[in-house]
């Protein structure tokens, strides 16, 4: 492994993280809220270490698949360790709580141990939300855009970082792809911020919720998220942008190039729209038929919570723990499914669900035509057996980890619903769940061991298992995992 080159790239990532901390430091100094040391100390550490690492002399500028995997895994852990320091110093939280909170931020999970966020310094609230925006697109995708200037190829990093079964380029080079992705990301962010301001939301809150929505994170500047927020406009604006943020960003690239035929052929997009609309429709009917005040309010809350949970944003505008069981069941399924591949959303990803349904259909047909050759076709292209195997392996791994982790978590004394929900929401990077971690509650009651365990699950879910599993495997087994 090329350890010096890996260290050099990690140095650049630390310097990038300090740049993203700068707005919070400036806000702290302007408002004189006393939290400035909480940012100055980690920034000084990161800058010093970063400058040492980027000045390492390297002989080879090539990266192997395992190098890319190590960079991705180490980066997420390193930025979380450094990023937790502001909360530890400025918010007087324990370091374990700070680490849990910031891992939740970077992985865009939105699970929290904080009950009264409105009482925190605004600079800390801002940093907490900026981690969503960084983690949504991935600080490594940003880094990949800079690597060619250093003479370093970034495909192995891009492949290990990209969510979904296939890491595809939307431009001719990885560097151009990463730049295109960030242009789309910034445009959507600016559009949402503008819409929220027009709808009457204050500037600071508009920034916080823009970062949370585009990163599909869920951290809010309000103690109860949006449960007491009046006015329908903001609720519907957020619902639309949560849906857009969890849509494959390749779609936006195709639209910008007027390749509408390819957009219409995209199986994942069609299923994503169908799932979202169907879920909103059925929950709206269920709520209204069970005594919701009005059909409009039922539709508004249904649209908000469906897009929030399915995009894995995790905001809440109602206490869905009080909803009928049918509606809660739909939300639980959406929590597991998640958003689209190539988006900022978490979960299993809709493209895997789409291919799984095609696989089930093929096996049903083969039951009556055992000798028939029936390839799996997605977006008009035949999928290789390797991709299909990888999807099956991912789904199997997800549910094995989910079930085993639920068994571990129930040792804490929580009920099965709370245990499974805690695992599913952290593994799928959603945030709130059901039971004792519902929309009006949080993870604060768990002890430090389980908070660290959930932090590991959040990282596993964000890196989609195989990145980390391949890192700790050897020889042929590692090569097989990398292929998956």
């Amino acid at each position: 492994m090329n350890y010096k080159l890996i260290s050099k790239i990690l140095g650049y990532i630390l310097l990038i993280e300090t740049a993203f901390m700068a707005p919070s430091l400036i806000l702290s100094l302007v408002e004189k809220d006393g939290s400035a040391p909480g940012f100055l100390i980690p920034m000084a550490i990161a800058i010093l270490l970063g400058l040492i690492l980027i000045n390492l002399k390297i002989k080879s500028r090539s990266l192997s698949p395992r190098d890319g995997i190590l960079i991705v895994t180490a980066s997420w852990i390193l930025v979380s360790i450094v990023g937790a320091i502001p909360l530890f110093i400025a918010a007087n939280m324990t370091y374990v709580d700070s680490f849990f909170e910031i891992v939740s931020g970077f992985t865009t999970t939105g699970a929290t141990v904080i009950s009264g966020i409105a009482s925190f310094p605004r600079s800390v609230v801002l940093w907490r939300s900026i981690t969503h925006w960084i983690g949504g697109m991935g600080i490594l995708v940003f880094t990949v855009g800079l690597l060619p200037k250093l003479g370093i190829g970034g495909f192995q990093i891009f492949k290990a970082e990209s969510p979904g079964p296939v890491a595809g380029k939307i431009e001719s080079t990885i560097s151009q792809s990463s730049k295109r992705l960030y242009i789309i990301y910034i445009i959507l962010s600016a559009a949402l911020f503008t819409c929220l301001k027009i709808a009457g939301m204050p500037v600071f809150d508009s920034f916080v919720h823009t970062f949370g929505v585009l990163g599909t994170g869920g951290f809010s500047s309000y103690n109860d998220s949006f449960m007491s927020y009046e006015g329908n406009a903001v609720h519907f604006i957020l619902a639309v942008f949560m849906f857009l943020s969890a849509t494959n960003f390749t779609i936006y690239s195709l639209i910008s190039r007027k390749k509408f035929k390819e957009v219409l052929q995209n199986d994942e997009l069609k299923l994503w729209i169908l799932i979202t609309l169907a879920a909103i429709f059925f929950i709206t009917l269920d709520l209204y038929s069970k005594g919701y005040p009005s059909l409009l309010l039922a539709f508004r809350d249904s649209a908000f919570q469906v897009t929030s949970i399915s995009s894995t944003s995790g905001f809440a505008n109602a206490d869905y723990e009080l909803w009928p069981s049918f509606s809660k069941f739909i939300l639980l399924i959406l929590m597991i499914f998640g958003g689209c591949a190539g988006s900022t959303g978490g979960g299993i990803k809709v493209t895997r669900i789409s291919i799984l349904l095609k696989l089930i259909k093929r096996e049903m047909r083969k039951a009556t035509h055992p000798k028939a050759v029936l390839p799996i076709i997605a977006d008009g292209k035949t999928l290789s057996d390797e991709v299909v195997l990888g999807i099956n392996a991912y789904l199997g791994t997800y549910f094995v980890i989910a079930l085993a982790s639920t068994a571990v978590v129930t040792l804490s004394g929580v009920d099965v619903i709370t245990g499974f929900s805690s695992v599913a929401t952290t593994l799928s990077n959603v945030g709130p769940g059901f039971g004792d971690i519902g929309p009006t509650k949080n993870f604060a009651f768990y002890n430090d061991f389980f908070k660290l365990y959930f932090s590991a699950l959040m990282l596993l879910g964000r890196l989609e298992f195989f990145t980390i599993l391949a890192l700790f495997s050897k020889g042929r087994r590692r090569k097989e995992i990398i292929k998956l």
Side-chain angles (χ1 to χ4, degrees):
M1 297 184 71
N2 196 339
Y3 289 109
K4 285 190 175 182
L5 180 56
I6 292 170
S7 299
K8 192 181 187 76
I9 294 172
L10 291 178
Y12 281 105
I13 288 171
L14 282 173
L15 294 178
I16 292 171
E17 184 179 21
T18 61
F20 279 110
M21 277 190 189
S24 297
L25 173 61
I26 294 170
L27 180 62
S28 174
L29 294 173
V30 169
E31 296 193 342
K32 299 179 181 179
D33 59 13
S35 63
F39 295 100
L40 287 170
I41 292 172
M43 289 175 73
I45 294 171
I47 290 173
L48 177 61
L49 182 57
L51 290 175
I52 292 172
L53 293 177
I54 66 172
N55 284 295
L56 290 175
K57 303 298 182 182
I58 56 175
K59 296 180 180 179
S60 172
R61 294 180 179 269
S62 62
L63 293 169
S64 69
R66 199 180 187 197
D67 290 337
I69 289 169
L70 179 57
I71 289 169
V72 170
T73 305
S75 296
W76 282 91
I77 295 173
L78 185 60
V79 297
S80 297
I81 290 172
V82 175
I85 297 176
L87 275 71
F88 175 61
I89 296 176
N92 295 317
M93 296 171 62
T94 69
Y95 188 78
V96 171
D97 281 357
S98 302
F99 183 75
F100 175 95
E101 197 77 14
I102 226 66
V103 168
S104 180
F106 278 122
T107 59
T108 71
T109 302
T112 184
V113 294
I114 300 172
S115 296
I117 189 63
S119 65
F120 277 50
R122 294 208 304 173
S123 55
V124 174
V125 176
L126 179 62
W127 168 240
R128 182 172 171 260
S129 294
I130 286 175
T131 60
H132 276 337
W133 199 84
I134 301 171
M137 184 56 64
I139 191 172
L140 289 158
V141 174
F142 186 88
T143 306
V144 163
L146 303 177
L147 293 183
K149 296 179 181 180
L150 308 174
I152 304 167
F155 179 71
Q156 301 301 342
I157 300 175
F158 188 87
K159 183 178 179 181
E161 169 79 350
S162 300
V166 180
K169 296 185 291 185
I170 62 175
E171 295 284 355
S172 58
T173 68
I174 291 296
S175 174
Q176 291 174 339
S177 292
S178 66
K179 291 175 183 176
R180 168 76 68 162
L181 287 171
Y182 260 100
I183 288 172
I184 295 171
Y185 200 43
I186 291 170
I187 290 173
L188 286 174
S189 299
L192 174 55
F193 177 82
T194 303
C195 289
L196 291 176
K197 274 300 298 154
I198 292 174
M201 185 177 282
V203 172
F204 179 78
D205 294 336
S206 295
F207 273 118
V208 167
H209 294 104
T210 293
F211 295 147
V213 169
L214 264 295
T216 61
F219 283 157
S220 175
S221 53
Y222 307 131
N223 290 334
D224 62 353
S225 196
F226 284 91
M227 291 187 202
S228 59
Y229 199 94
E230 297 181 359
N232 292 327
V234 167
H235 294 260
F236 284 119
I237 288 169
L238 292 175
V240 169
F241 276 90
M242 284 188 286
F243 175 83
L244 294 176
S245 299
T247 300
N248 194 325
F249 277 41
T250 302
I251 297 297
Y252 304 129
S253 178
L254 293 173
I255 292 173
S256 68
R257 299 175 181 183
K258 299 182 179 180
K259 295 184 178 182
F260 302 114
K261 184 178 180 180
E262 292 185 37
V263 173
L264 295 174
Q265 287 180 337
N266 190 281
D267 294 333
E268 182 185 37
L269 178 63
K270 289 185 282 188
L271 183 59
W272 171 230
I273 294 172
L274 177 62
I275 289 173
T276 303
L277 293 179
I280 292 173
F281 175 77
F282 286 117
I283 291 181
T284 299
L285 289 184
D286 191 38
L287 293 178
Y288 186 61
S289 67
K290 300 289 174 58
Y292 229 64
S294 70
L295 183 61
L296 175 61
L297 187 61
F299 173 69
R300 187 200 76 175
D301 289 356
S302 172
F304 188 98
Q305 286 307 151
V306 164
T307 53
S308 177
I309 296 298
S310 62
S311 69
T312 69
S313 295
F315 290 106
N317 74 338
D319 185 0
Y320 55 76
E321 271 288 289
L322 303 177
W323 285 7
S325 296
F326 178 69
S327 294
K328 290 194 288 186
F329 173 74
I330 293 176
L331 292 180
L332 178 61
I333 297 300
L334 295 176
M335 179 187 297
I336 295 171
F337 282 7
C340 298
S343 73
T344 60
I348 287 175
K349 303 294 187 301
V350 174
T351 188
R352 290 191 176 97
I353 303 301
S354 174
I355 294 170
L356 177 63
L357 293 174
K358 293 175 185 291
L359 185 59
I360 293 172
K361 181 180 178 180
R362 184 182 73 173
E363 294 307 309
M364 292 175 63
R365 291 183 62 186
K366 288 187 73 173
T368 55
H369 302 85
K371 295 185 179 180
V373 178
L374 303 171
I376 302 295
I377 299 175
D379 305 335
K381 300 176 183 177
T382 300
L383 295 180
S384 66
D385 291 339
E386 183 176 280
V387 171
V388 175
L389 175 62
I391 290 170
N392 289 336
Y394 175 89
L395 294 173
T397 304
Y398 180 96
F399 286 108
V400 166
I401 292 176
L403 293 175
S405 294
T406 300
V408 172
V409 173
T410 52
L411 292 174
S412 69
V414 299
D415 60 86
V416 174
I417 296 298
T418 299
F420 178 76
S421 178
S422 298
V423 171
T425 197
T426 50
L427 201 56
S428 292
N429 304 132
V430 178
F434 298 92
D436 292 340
I437 57 157
T440 62
K441 304 172 184 177
N442 59 40
F443 286 74
F445 68 90
Y446 282 110
N447 65 34
D448 287 352
F449 170 80
F450 287 104
K451 288 172 185 174
L452 292 174
Y453 190 85
F454 289 129
S455 298
L457 289 182
M458 288 187 274
L459 288 168
L460 272 174
R462 178 59 179 82
L463 298 179
E464 300 202 329
F465 313 135
F466 297 135
T467 298
I468 294 178
L469 292 177
L471 182 63
F472 295 102
S473 300
K474 296 182 180 181
R476 178 185 295 181
R477 181 59 180 164
R478 182 176 70 247
K479 293 179 181 179
E480 291 174 353
I481 293 174
I482 290 173
K483 287 181 180 180
L484 296 177

